[in-house]
Amino acid sequence: GALSIGVGAPGELSRLGDSWREAQETLVLRSVAVSSRRVARFEELGLLHLLAQIPKDEVDKFTDYRLVAMLADHGSSPNDLELLDAFCDGGSLRETAKTTFLHFTTVRYRLARIEEAIGLDLSNTSDLFRAHVAVKLVQVHRARVLDEWTQR
C-alpha cells in the first residue's frame, strides 16, 4: 500500500487539536478533492470541507442527492456517477469522452440516460450545478463510509 498524508492548517500550538482533525478530514476526503496526490492539505479541500459537515440524514432528504447516489450502481466502466462527475468537471461532451476513454456518442447517449434518471437538464447551468453538488456530496459520504469501514 502507498502512504497518504493529510495536512491540517498551520497555526499556533493551541490549534494543534483542530489541525489534527483537519488533517484527518483531509486524508478521508483527498480522494474527492485531490485524488492523484499522496499528500493533501486542508486548504485544498475548499468548500468540500463545508459539504462534509452536512449530516447524511439531512442530505438524504433531497431528491437530487438520492437520485445521483443511485447512479453509482449503474452503467459500465466508468459507472454513471463517475461519468457524471467527469462531465461536471470537464463541462463538455468531448472533454468527458477524452477523460473517460469513451467514444463521444457513447458519452452523449449515457448522459442523456443520466439526465432522464436524475430529472436534470445538464445543458442548464443551474441544473448542472445541482448535479455537481450532488455528485460531490455522494463522494464525500462514500469516502466517510469507506474510512469508517477501514477503521474497523
Side-chain angles (χ1 to χ4, degrees):
L3 178 66
S4 297
I5 300 170
V7 180
E12 300 293 322
L13 190 55
S14 61
R15 273 200 82 258
L16 187 58
D18 292 337
S19 184
W20 173 256
R21 283 184 290 284
E22 292 167 356
Q24 288 177 309
E25 180 178 6
T26 303
L27 192 56
V28 171
L29 298 179
R30 97 182 159 74
S31 64
V32 179
V34 288
S35 60
S36 62
R37 296 201 300 257
R38 301 221 176 154
V39 176
R41 290 173 171 64
F42 180 73
E43 55 268 8
E44 293 170 326
L45 293 180
L47 292 175
L48 284 176
H49 163 69
L50 292 177
L51 290 179
Q53 304 312 305
I54 304 170
K56 185 167 183 320
D57 59 329
E58 286 297 315
V59 176
D60 279 335
K61 295 176 184 176
F62 292 90
T63 304
D64 291 350
Y65 175 83
R66 288 192 315 271
L67 293 174
V68 167
M70 290 190 310
L71 293 177
D73 302 325
H74 300 287
S76 55
S77 185
N79 68 38
D80 286 348
L81 179 66
E82 294 164 336
L83 183 65
L84 178 58
D85 184 37
F87 180 73
C88 289
D89 285 345
S92 77
L93 294 174
R94 294 212 185 278
E95 184 65 27
T96 303
K98 183 177 159 185
T99 59
T100 59
F101 304 104
L102 295 173
H103 192 274
F104 173 83
T105 56
T106 302
V107 170
R108 184 174 50 200
Y109 167 76
R110 285 184 59 188
L111 283 173
R113 232 187 43 226
I114 290 169
E115 284 180 315
E116 189 175 319
I118 64 175
L120 297 173
D121 175 4
L122 298 177
S123 65
N124 175 293
T125 308
S126 180
D127 283 1
L128 180 63
F129 174 74
R130 287 171 55 191
H132 205 179
V133 170
V135 166
K136 293 306 175 192
L137 282 167
V138 169
Q139 291 172 334
V140 161
H141 288 288
R142 287 177 183 235
R144 288 214 185 276
V145 167
L146 181 61
D147 179 59
E148 290 169 8
W149 185 80
T150 58
Q151 296 296 321
R152 293 178 189 181

